[in-house]
Amino acid sequence: MTQTGPFRLPRGGRLIDRAYQLPFRFDGRQMRGVVGDTLASAILANGQIMMGRSFKYHRPRGPVASGAEEPNALLGLGEGGRFEPNQRATTTALVGGMVTAPQNCWPSLNADVGAINNWMYRFLPAGFYYKTFIHPRPFWKHVFEPIIRRSAGLGKAPTEADPDRYEQAYAHVDVVVVGGGIAGLTAARDAAKQGKSVWVIEQTPQFGGRTPTDHADGQTRIDALLAELRALPNATLRRSTMATGLYDHGYLLAREAIADHDPNAGLPRQRLWRIRAGHVVVASGALERPLSFAGNDVPGVILASAVRDFIDLYGVAPGRKIVVVTNNDDAYRTALVALDAGLQVAAVIDARASATGALPEAVRARGVRVLTGSAIAGIKGGKAVEGVKLCAHAGSGDVTEVIDADCVAMSGGWSPVVHLWSHCGGKLNWSDAQAMFAPDPNRPPTGADGRAMASAVGAAAGDLLVAEATGAGAEQAILPVWVMPANATRKMKFKMWLDFQNDVKVSDVELAAQEGYQSVEHTKRYTTLGMATDQGKVSNINGLAVLSNALKQPIPQTGTTTFRPPYTPLTLGTIAAEARGEVFQPLRKTPMHAWHESHGAFFEPVGHWRRAYCYPKPGESHGDAVAREIRAVRASVGTLDASTLGKIIVKGPDAGKFLDMMYTGMMSSLPVGKCRYGLICNENGFLVDDGVAARLSEDTWLVHTTTGGADRMHAHMEDWLQCEWWDWKVYTANVTEQWAQVAVVGPKARVLLERLGGMDLSAEALPFMQWAEGEIAGIPARVFRISFSGELSFEVAVPANRGLELWEKLHEAGRDLDVTPYGTEAMHVMRAEKGFIMIGDETDGTVIPQDLGLGWAISKKKTDYIGKRAQERSHMTDPRRWKLVGLESLDGRVLPDGALAVAEGVNPNGQRKTQGRVTSTYMSPTLSKPIAMGIVLNGPDRMGEVLEFPVAGQETYKARIVDPVFYDKEGSRANG
Amino acid sequence: MLILTCPYCGISAEETELAPGGEAHLKRFGPGSSDADFESYLFARKNPKGVHFERWRHAYGCGKWFLAARDTATLQVFGTYKAQTPHPTPEIVAAVQAARPGWQPDWIETNADTSAESPKA
Amino acid sequence: MAEALAKISQVQDRGMIQIRADLDRAGDAIAGAAGLALPGQGRTTTDGSRLLGWMSPDELLLVLPRAETAEALSALTEALAGEHALVLDVSDMRAMFRIDGPKAAQVLMKLCPTDLAAMPPDGLRRTRAAQVACGIWRDQAGYVLVGFRSVADYLRGILTGAAAPGTHLEPR
């Protein structure tokens, strides 16, 4: 026999394998557990009952439960990037070499400085923060806030990136049974036999739930059901898989632990299943409630079911001398399990006047004292239970006797786990007889068809014994006990914990009620009852029963707080899943992306695209590179990767009519072979996109959109075609990615392209604002003579697969011309030098084309276009709208982007009035001075006036209103 | 997260495959319309708790816009139908009324509505 | 270490033609020019070399050996002359991947919110793979997935990740 700690029992432990020992560390101590242990059972086996300190008062705490509802034994797990706070010791499988640390204590678990709060409990009542920290104001900032910030939060956040992998998977299943206990397995078998696809998901690594521990031939019954299910090909059993939430239309999220137990397996640690369930069977069982007696949070006071789990599942004694305190028959099972394990049961304290059922009689028959009508008045001991003070339950706590004990097994009754049922709208009924809320089968959560998308079975449905399946005999009724003893004094209530995790006591809830809190939701937030990871699992019913009593109203009238997913905390990694690192988001790359990369491009995001911002040479700053690129383009020739520009084909007998509706200008009159700049507004009149349209043939146009606008504009067109003018004969196709597009720009652009050969690109053959089709360097191409830089410019579109070939040929052929690749920033500066607007700079969703001097691109002849009616509104025609101008900095500094021009006076809020703002601002290498564009009140009528732009911490900027076209006002360069 | 069946391709698509488009069956008011009509067209939305008709695009699918009749409170879906109709179809109305017996349409069916042309075409 | 769930490989030798037309009126003409029967809603037809897929009620996608694209393009254009229709060479617009192996479906189950089991053998499903649009159909050894070319690296990354060795979806 191997010893793994002084509290490991000589026999038993159905889940452990004593042959395999596992070393681990807790709170700096070396310990040993065995395979099958949870952290909690392993630490308990080593004789350590205290596993952490509470959140607010830093009181010593040990485990209360044995499962997912555990509020106290939350540990910091792992080190470095794998550190994770708030891991429940009761559900975390022990892994050899694990390093674990208790929380909410410093410098150590035993000697914790924060425990001073425990002595100040009278000054830290419910709502303490709200009451105390408001006044005096300076105290908040300099005294309270720093203290709270340092002590806030449950556990510590990890500081390094999580090294583990996570993934998601989608499943579509007819019936998902949540909970692999006897009720769930029975429901699954029945559904599977009807031929439905069935999943059973069980949060623990074992199927069976409580049945093997609680019922005589439980394991046999479970094994039989599992055998039946495993023989059915349409049934799937998934263990270590926790249903975290149920959402609309049968959308069920479940987290499968794949490598939690073995971080070095090279597997994803966890998988988030995104399941579409035809029907969800809630078979999530029930959770035991604590009893509210003074000192119920002392380490060693444990739920009765957890005590027998530790003994039966892990062969661990939570204590050697146990007192059971209960208001129902079920806790007597704990006494029997403890006796069978050779532990002493000092007494069973039963609040009920009598206990005559089979279970109490069986306990009496073993010679155990059963004290009915009794209660616990208090616990001896601080960091561990040393004794139990008894009293009459009917009284106010006069101690009648003190019993030596090192463990108290408490049971306040059971509450069905209704979280999943409630997440998506299922309603509950209160049962006075059973003292619990259970799902109301007549008010289930409903799905897309309006019918129930979930049903509840077994203990989750309020059938605590599941007698039909377990064969359990009848039990005597529970006596609801919300405070023990019934007439406990105020002083005792200061030591009765409702919510262990958040340190909420009976006195806090009573105080809230006294102060006027009536809504359970408000009380929750005022007292923090049931917040954080608890989400009402341990504290809910006791808390709202106390509130109901204080408000002198029945429990159902108080109701429950909202049950919100996730049922237990979900690691953020499972939500991110594959979306990290290289595939954090889809980066769109042009056909020439690799070339840009290998030529040192600095990329900027434009939507999901990555575009070359500039191509800095060694030793060059980005600003230097941009300036060099611009000078090269203006002096000779440059190339821009314009592949990201949106390209949409619009074809059909009604295409011209349709484009006339889409654009503010006239597109139907565009001759074949020509190009025209166009503006697209939304129905609210605001400018949303722009670009050049080319008429390819009598019934076909190719329209260009902005880089970010292709999908949006294509969707916009399809919307109007499908939903408004569905009888118009027009087809659209978004062919953005079919083409690579290169802008060849600068006075030597034609020379360069002619070297590649294949097309006549002379001014006569291809004048400005025309396009032609042919071959360039043997590559099929469309060439558009359009310019966004003010230079002679050809945009050459070739099939995407040949984009890189064209680009490389241009650079090869133009070496002696100093052909220079230029990026988006050079493009932006050059367009600003020309006074061309940029969607997203000059527009912000509140700007109409008329504001930007683009009246020339708005047809006066058309009776309608999208946005026309909106632009007729009085506010849109108001002459005081801010309008586009150029701005010339007076002192040579570049104006700050977005800076506001101030006007005389202040607005009703006491702020300076404004009369304009900077929309684009750059240092122009061409002109060797700063240039800017902005929109200004009556701007075009105020040429030469000087505006002031105050900027905090800097000398006020001054700028003169000038024409927005700074360069080549005649436009002769582009026309060459 | 909703599941809606696209009436064009028959796919039961989940919400992440769809793009929402707001209230359905708006009548467009263009140039020449009154300020009140235009304001109502552009901004006024019913936003009911209960039966509602709305636009969805099967964006990660066939790309078609379709319409859905849905209860905004219970998320029950009464049906989906094609976008080329000025009002919910008789089948949709019947499905809504079967589930919500007291519910009455708030539009008046006219002959013009049955033409293939849109209200302002 | 276990093997990857499926072999992920990019297909480079396929051409694609987008066809938009009234399929009721022009279906026969398209079928004739494409050399394949007109697929029903959400389906594909194939002769092992070419595949004609139903993309939407008025859109088809012809996938064929790249060398045959130009000829098919003119055949379709000619067949639809006089019809309100759109025929475009979109061969360079997409990236195409094969996901081959007995667990190919599990790779897609990690990325697509699609009930693949409900997809008919000759089905074409347009959906999303993680954050991008895609189309999926089956072939002998597994599945074919097409997405936009600009996100080819992303698609390769998520497909390879989803196929990582040892990550099968069977219960453990």
Side-chain angles (χ1 to χ4, degrees), chain A residues 177-188 190 211 215 281-287 414-418 421 434 436-439 441 455-470:
Chain A
V177 178
V178 177
I182 196 156
L185 295 176
T186 306
D190 295 349
T211 299
H215 300 287
V281 177
V282 179
S284 43
L287 292 177
W414 290 78
S415 301
V417 178
V418 295
W421 173 269
Q434 292 180 286
M436 67 185 188
F437 279 107
S455 50
V457 298
D463 176 12
L464 294 179
L465 290 172
V466 205
E468 202 179 319
T470 60

Side-chain angles (χ1 to χ4, degrees), chain A residues 128-146:
Chain A
F128 170 72
Y129 299 100
Y130 306 108
K131 286 166 181 161
T132 310
F133 295 147
I134 305 303
H135 301 286
R137 284 279 169 188
F139 264 66
W140 169 251
K141 189 164 181 201
H142 299 293
V143 180
F144 296 129
E145 192 181 344

